[in-house]
């Protein structure tokens, strides 16, 4: 018996993202799934008197964007409250901005936290200056105040905040980050990497009702960008409770996946690994749906490991194979020389191997934060050992990979490890490109923020925006991927790699991201039987110059065949 389509689109560019890279003229949907693709003539047997037929007038219809590494709830929180909006400000301008907010805000108590978000530590003016607790203590307030950096790896606390965190001069430096001090040994209020994140997580900012509103707002923002599936790269109870409530109310408009972190504190020794993984599995079971369905659901299929930190000055906690070059002079008279500093690895080789192997045995996919080539090497070594012990379909992924060593591209391919890249990070203003070339030296600089080199080595590449590290703009990220430059006169092309093709970019944000998430059986391409997660664009971007890709607008977004966004 012939099946009749609920809806057929025709006269467009249907970017299917299938294995054959087909772009067809028409597509048919039924019951929230793809029924068929092809020419309009080939789909006529699926048309009945009740089939809705829609002329795309040359526009593109493609799978919904899959953002495989971001922090959606953090992003939602950043959009409310005191937000520096990624501005490059002087210390005086920063303090005035915060003081003006404090003066307007009705909350005045010494337990009324003020998190200040979207803070650009590396761009404080004059460049190279670090805001510390002494600066924040100048504010006219008794409130605990913190600056939370846009990269989520730095938190600056005033004295009252440090007191409530329970951090003082006797607090030991943890294994997975740094608590900074002045030269006299007293705390300067700066925390880096995991201590910063844990401190931020401990701030009591939301009740359950407000958290649900944040979740609802976040999914609308993402749907507007054409996003239909995300993976929260640091799954915590607050956001997953909120999104679960949204789902149970029948209002979920995203497919939500999560990666649950196992920290070095969770598993201090190899003997602790089985217990830590069981606790992670219990968390995953609590929030994961029993099976995939046309309607969006929630799944935790990944384990997260912060293997290193960040590479940019002044932190330098990303692990490198060779030492950083450090400026022993001043900003005005720099003197870069090779140091002995190679950054930090937050897990021993033995512990990382044991953790990656054990989560893989449990059927979870290991997902690692790896910025420097030293962290990449340690992680690939652990994956190689895991592959020798664990059989089955395990899909390890390494997020960020800002500095890759030449020999590592082939290792990614051989080990079937997936780089998860934020394409917009190739947008380097000239001043920061010059600084990074000094820090790395000319030879290593040629492997900064690469993507094409992975493709050319035969490696699958997934896209993950890492929002709110940068403002949420998926199509700007795609524009940077195909041009290797941002906007503005001070953003020259980053000549460390070739431009990606738009086809490569769109596949990274659809079928390749779905593969990384172990969801490609259901989503990521428009093939018969897969869920009807798709978007309609205002143009066919394949027919426009690469520098115009960022102007692409999403007209409609569908999840499981249901419209979740329509442009006004």
């Amino acid at each position: 018996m012939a099946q009749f389509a609920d809806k057929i689109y025709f006269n467009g560019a249907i970017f299917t993202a299938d294995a054959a890279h087909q772009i067809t003229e028409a597509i048919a949907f039924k019951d929230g799934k793809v029924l068929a693709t092809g020419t309009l003539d080939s789909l006529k047997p699926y048309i009945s008197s009740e089939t809705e037929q829609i002329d795309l007038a040359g526009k593109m219809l493609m799978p919904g964007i899959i953002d495989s590494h971001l922090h959606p709830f953090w992003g939602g929180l950043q959009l409310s409250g005191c937000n520096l909006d990624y501005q490059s400000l002087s210390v005086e301008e920063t303090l005035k901005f915060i003081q003006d907010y404090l003066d307007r805000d009705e909350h005045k108590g010494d337990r009324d936290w003020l998190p200040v978000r979207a803070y650009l530590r590396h761009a404080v003016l004059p460049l190279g200056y670090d805001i510390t607790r002494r600066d924040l203590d100048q504010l006219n307030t008794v409130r605990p105040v913190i600056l939370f950096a846009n990269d989520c790896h730095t938190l600056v606390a005033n004295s009252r905040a440090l007191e409530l965190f329970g951090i003082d001069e006797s607090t030991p430096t943890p294994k997975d980050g740094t608590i900074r001090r002045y030269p006299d040994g007293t705390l300067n209020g700066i925390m880096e990497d995991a201590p910063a994140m844990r401190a931020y997580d401990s701030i009591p900012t939301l009740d359950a009702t407000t958290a649900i509103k944040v979740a609802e707002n976040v999914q609308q923002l993402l749907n507007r960008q054409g996003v239909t599936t995300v993976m929260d790269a640091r799954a915590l109870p607050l956001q997953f409770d909120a999104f679960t409530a949204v789902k149970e109310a029948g209002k979920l408009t995203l497919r939500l996946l999560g990666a649950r972190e196992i920290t070095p504190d969770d598993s201090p020794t190899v003997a602790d690994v089985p217990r830590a993984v069981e606790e992670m599995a219990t968390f995953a079971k609590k929030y994961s749906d029993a099976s995939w369905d046309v309607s969006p659901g929630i799944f935790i299929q990944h384990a997260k490991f912060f293997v290193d930190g960040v590479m940019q000055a002044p932190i330098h906690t990303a692990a490198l194979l060779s030492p950083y070059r450090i400026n022993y002079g001043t900003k005005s008279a720099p003197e870069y020389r090779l140091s002995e500093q190679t950054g930090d690895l937050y897990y021993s080789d033995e512990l990382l191997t044991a953790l990656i192997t054990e989560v893989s045995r449990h059927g979870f996919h290991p997902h690692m934060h790896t910025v420097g080539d030293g962290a990449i090497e340690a992680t690939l070594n652990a994956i190689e050992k895991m592959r020798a012990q664990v059989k089955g379909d395990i899909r390890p992924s390494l997020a960020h990979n800002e500095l890759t060593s030449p020999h590592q591209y082939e290792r990614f391919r051989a080990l079937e490890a997936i780089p998860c890249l934020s394409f917009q990070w190739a947008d380097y203003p000239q001043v920061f490109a010059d600084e990074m070339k000094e820090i790395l030296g000319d030879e290593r600089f040629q492997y900064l923020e690469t993507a094409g080199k992975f493709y050319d080595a035969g490696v699958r590449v997934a896209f993950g925006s890492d929002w709110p590290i940068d403002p949420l703009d998926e199509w700007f990220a795609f524009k940077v991927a195909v041009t290797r430059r941002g906007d503005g006169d001070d953003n020259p092309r980053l000549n460390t790699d070739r431009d990606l093709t738009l086809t490569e970019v769109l596949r990274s944000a659809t079928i390749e991201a779905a593969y990384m998430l172990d969801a490609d059986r259901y989503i990521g391409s428009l093939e018969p039987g897969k869920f009807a997660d798709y978007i309609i664009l205002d143009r066919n971007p394949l027919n426009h110059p690469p520098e115009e890709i960022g102007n692409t607008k999403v007209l409609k977004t569908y999840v499981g065949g249901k419209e979740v966004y329509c442009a006004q």
Side-chain angles (χ1 to χ4, degrees), residues 218-248:
V218 161
Q219 61 180 6
Q220 290 171 13
L221 288 170
L222 289 161
N223 292 155
R224 187 176 301 142
Q225 296 265 332
V227 178
T228 54
T229 299
V230 298
M231 185 174 81
D232 187 321
R234 194 162 176 265
L236 295 170
L238 176 65
Q239 60 259 43
F240 275 77
D241 285 339
F243 277 110
T244 297
V246 173
K247 181 190 72 173
E248 290 174 348

XYZ file of all heavy atoms in Angstrom, residues 218-248:
242
model
N 16.586 29.483 26.299
C 17.768 28.980 25.597
C 17.362 28.202 24.353
O 17.935 28.390 23.265
C 18.609 28.098 26.539
C 19.556 27.203 25.756
C 19.392 28.955 27.518
N 16.396 27.311 24.468
C 16.039 26.514 23.301
C 15.440 27.377 22.196
O 15.662 27.121 21.009
C 15.103 25.365 23.685
C 13.788 25.759 24.275
C 12.932 24.541 24.613
O 13.358 23.392 24.518
N 11.686 24.780 25.010
N 14.746 28.451 22.563
C 14.215 29.346 21.535
C 15.341 30.069 20.797
O 15.295 30.218 19.570
C 13.265 30.361 22.175
C 11.960 29.745 22.674
C 11.134 30.707 23.500
O 11.391 31.912 23.528
N 10.120 30.179 24.181
N 16.362 30.507 21.551
C 17.506 31.163 20.912
C 18.206 30.216 19.945
O 18.581 30.603 18.832
C 18.495 31.621 21.986
C 18.088 32.812 22.844
C 19.062 32.973 24.010
C 18.072 34.091 22.014
N 18.393 28.979 20.351
C 19.074 28.009 19.504
C 18.229 27.639 18.293
O 18.743 27.533 17.168
C 19.438 26.775 20.322
C 20.568 27.011 21.338
C 20.564 25.940 22.417
C 21.922 27.048 20.633
N 16.926 27.442 18.479
C 16.034 27.153 17.348
C 16.087 28.276 16.309
O 16.035 28.025 15.103
C 14.601 26.979 17.819
C 14.355 25.735 18.654
O 13.428 25.695 19.460
N 15.172 24.707 18.486
N 16.201 29.505 16.783
C 16.258 30.654 15.873
C 17.503 30.600 14.988
O 17.506 31.077 13.864
C 16.245 31.953 16.690
C 16.119 33.224 15.845
C 16.028 34.445 16.750
N 14.878 34.350 17.638
C 14.863 34.749 18.910
N 15.949 35.253 19.457
N 13.764 34.639 19.626
N 18.567 30.004 15.512
C 19.794 29.855 14.740
C 19.749 28.641 13.818
O 20.679 28.403 13.054
C 20.973 29.698 15.700
C 21.232 30.894 16.575
C 22.272 31.829 16.013
O 23.161 31.399 15.285
N 22.169 33.096 16.318
N 18.697 27.837 13.916
C 18.592 26.625 13.114
C 19.094 25.391 13.828
O 19.262 24.331 13.213
N 19.333 25.496 15.141
C 19.851 24.373 15.910
C 18.706 23.490 16.375
O 17.724 23.971 16.948
C 20.664 24.868 17.126
C 21.157 23.693 17.957
C 21.837 25.727 16.660
N 18.842 22.192 16.150
C 17.802 21.238 16.542
C 18.301 20.216 17.568
O 17.494 19.559 18.223
C 17.263 20.491 15.301
O 18.359 19.894 14.595
C 16.527 21.454 14.370
N 19.627 20.066 17.684
C 20.217 19.126 18.648
C 21.463 19.761 19.247
O 22.243 20.399 18.525
C 20.590 17.796 17.978
O 19.419 17.183 17.450
C 21.246 16.838 18.971
N 21.654 19.570 20.553
C 22.860 20.082 21.212
C 23.406 19.026 22.159
O 22.685 18.146 22.625
C 22.579 21.372 22.020
C 22.098 22.495 21.118
C 21.579 21.121 23.150
N 24.727 19.147 22.456
C 25.276 18.410 23.580
C 25.847 19.403 24.581
O 26.779 20.151 24.266
C 26.375 17.426 23.190
C 26.817 16.606 24.428
S 27.981 15.272 24.121
C 29.525 16.163 24.049
N 25.242 19.403 25.771
C 25.762 20.197 26.878
C 27.049 19.520 27.341
O 27.028 18.379 27.820
C 24.736 20.261 28.000
C 25.130 21.217 29.113
O 26.322 21.264 29.459
O 24.248 21.907 29.651
N 28.175 20.229 27.206
C 29.475 19.613 27.430
C 29.860 19.519 28.903
O 30.975 19.083 29.220
C 30.548 20.386 26.664
N 28.943 19.897 29.783
C 29.220 19.755 31.219
C 27.881 19.617 31.922
O 27.339 20.563 32.493
C 30.008 20.964 31.730
C 30.622 20.767 33.109
C 31.733 21.787 33.356
N 32.247 21.640 34.707
C 31.828 22.371 35.747
N 30.908 23.300 35.574
N 32.339 22.175 36.941
N 27.347 18.414 31.897
C 25.983 18.167 32.389
C 25.951 18.231 33.913
O 26.681 17.520 34.597
C 25.510 16.793 31.917
N 25.053 19.077 34.419
C 24.868 19.254 35.862
C 23.391 19.100 36.207
O 22.511 19.304 35.354
C 25.367 20.637 36.294
C 26.872 20.896 36.135
C 27.175 22.374 36.360
C 27.669 20.039 37.098
N 23.069 18.775 37.443
C 21.655 18.573 37.813
C 20.783 19.793 37.556
O 19.637 19.643 37.124
C 21.732 18.246 39.308
C 23.084 17.665 39.503
C 23.983 18.398 38.549
N 21.284 21.012 37.807
C 20.450 22.207 37.675
C 19.827 22.298 36.297
O 18.599 22.417 36.170
C 21.285 23.461 37.954
C 20.556 24.799 37.758
C 19.428 24.953 38.756
C 21.543 25.965 37.879
N 20.654 22.236 35.244
C 20.086 22.401 33.912
C 19.318 21.168 33.443
O 18.310 21.289 32.741
C 21.167 22.787 32.896
C 22.303 21.814 32.709
C 23.541 22.263 33.450
O 23.471 22.717 34.585
N 24.698 22.139 32.813
N 19.761 19.977 33.836
C 19.043 18.793 33.358
C 17.725 18.600 34.108
O 16.766 18.070 33.542
C 19.953 17.566 33.398
C 20.791 17.462 32.157
C 21.912 18.268 31.989
C 20.421 16.626 31.125
C 22.662 18.215 30.828
C 21.157 16.557 29.950
C 22.289 17.363 29.800
N 17.634 19.046 35.340
C 16.335 19.084 36.012
C 15.396 20.050 35.288
O 14.213 19.760 35.082
C 16.497 19.524 37.474
C 17.066 18.431 38.359
O 16.968 17.241 37.991
O 17.600 18.768 39.437
N 15.941 21.205 34.905
C 15.118 22.210 34.228
C 14.639 21.718 32.872
O 13.449 21.813 32.536
C 15.904 23.512 34.082
N 15.542 21.170 32.074
C 15.143 20.686 30.749
C 14.219 19.466 30.855
O 13.331 19.280 30.016
C 16.376 20.353 29.906
C 16.987 21.541 29.230
C 18.226 22.039 29.640
C 16.336 22.176 28.189
C 18.801 23.140 29.013
C 16.899 23.280 27.553
C 18.137 23.763 27.973
N 14.402 18.654 31.888
C 13.481 17.530 32.096
C 12.080 18.030 32.382
O 11.090 17.482 31.867
C 13.983 16.638 33.244
O 15.252 16.068 32.880
C 13.003 15.508 33.531
N 11.971 19.086 33.184
C 10.658 19.672 33.465
C 10.030 20.232 32.192
O 8.817 20.099 31.965
C 10.789 20.769 34.525
N 10.846 20.850 31.342
C 10.342 21.370 30.068
C 9.840 20.223 29.203
O 8.767 20.300 28.572
C 11.444 22.178 29.346
C 10.982 22.574 27.940
C 11.813 23.419 30.149
N 10.589 19.141 29.161
C 10.183 17.973 28.364
C 8.873 17.390 28.885
O 7.953 17.083 28.105
C 11.280 16.911 28.407
C 10.978 15.661 27.580
C 11.970 14.555 27.841
C 11.760 13.949 29.209
N 12.606 12.752 29.446
N 8.770 17.242 30.203
C 7.569 16.646 30.784
C 6.346 17.519 30.574
O 5.215 17.010 30.564
C 7.799 16.379 32.274
C 8.802 15.247 32.517
C 9.157 15.067 33.972
O 8.811 15.959 34.785
O 9.800 14.044 34.309
